[in-house]
Amino acid sequence: MSVPRFWRKQIARYNLVGTHCKKCDEYFYPPRNMCPACRREGEIEEYKFSGKGEVVTYTVIHTAAEGFENQTPYVLAIIKLDEGPSLTSQIICDPSNVKIGMKVKPVFRKLGQAGERGMIYYGTKFVPEVADKC
């Protein structure tokens, strides 16, 4: 990811900030400038998501991409937030304990690093809401 793009997306990534259309009551993550349903009639406002949600589906990664080799196996899941939007994120948990429908909450973690001496970037990952589920 380029440095300018990283800084542009920082607020939404670090704080789970999306948008809400006041006209149709839909929520969007990542943020949108215009409601796809209401178009110009919609009134978009910034919205900070609670981050709580549930696992819709998941996969266990055994052969990781470069830079993530030391994390295998790890879980990537589609999380449906309580407010409605879905997003893809890593779940910090023993892969054998992850289940579809499992309730999760957000945590702030290191996502990666650009090279050995490059910029470290952080963001949201998820953990089970119930601590003993992992």
Side-chain angles (χ1 to χ4, degrees):
M1 176 182 311
S2 70
V3 173
R5 182 173 174 215
F6 171 82
W7 288 108
R8 272 195 318 274
K9 305 283 185 188
Q10 182 178 354
I11 292 170
R13 182 181 303 111
Y14 284 7
N15 299 298
L16 280 179
V17 173
T19 49
H20 170 244
C21 177
K22 292 181 184 180
K23 183 173 183 195
C24 67
D25 202 33
E26 285 293 321
Y27 294 87
F28 305 101
Y29 185 85
R32 294 180 178 238
N33 294 325
M34 178 174 33
C35 176
C38 302
R39 314 286 281 162
R40 289 186 216 148
E41 305 294 319
E43 188 178 340
I44 294 290
E45 65 181 350
E46 193 173 89
Y47 182 84
K48 184 175 183 334
F49 292 98
S50 70
K52 292 184 178 183
E54 72 175 53
V55 175
V56 174
T57 189
Y58 69 94
T59 188
V60 179
I61 306 296
H62 293 279
T63 305
E66 183 180 338
F68 296 93
E69 302 91 343
N70 63 341
Q71 296 181 27
T72 58
Y74 62 91
V75 178
L76 275 182
I78 295 179
I79 310 292
K80 182 169 180 150
L81 299 176
D82 288 349
E83 295 91 343
S86 296
L87 58 100
T88 303
S89 185
Q90 187 176 351
I91 298 180
I92 309 299
C93 185
D94 181 330
S96 64
N97 293 333
V98 176
K99 304 286 184 252
I100 291 175
M102 181 172 77
K103 296 291 187 181
V104 291
K105 64 182 179 181
V107 291
F108 190 70
R109 296 285 190 269
K110 178 180 175 181
L111 296 178
Q113 184 172 340
E116 192 174 306
R117 296 180 53 145
M119 179 173 61
I120 297 172
Y121 45 98
Y122 297 87
T124 303
K125 293 184 181 183
F126 288 82
V127 296
E129 266 191 351
V130 180
D132 65 344
K133 293 284 184 187
C134 219

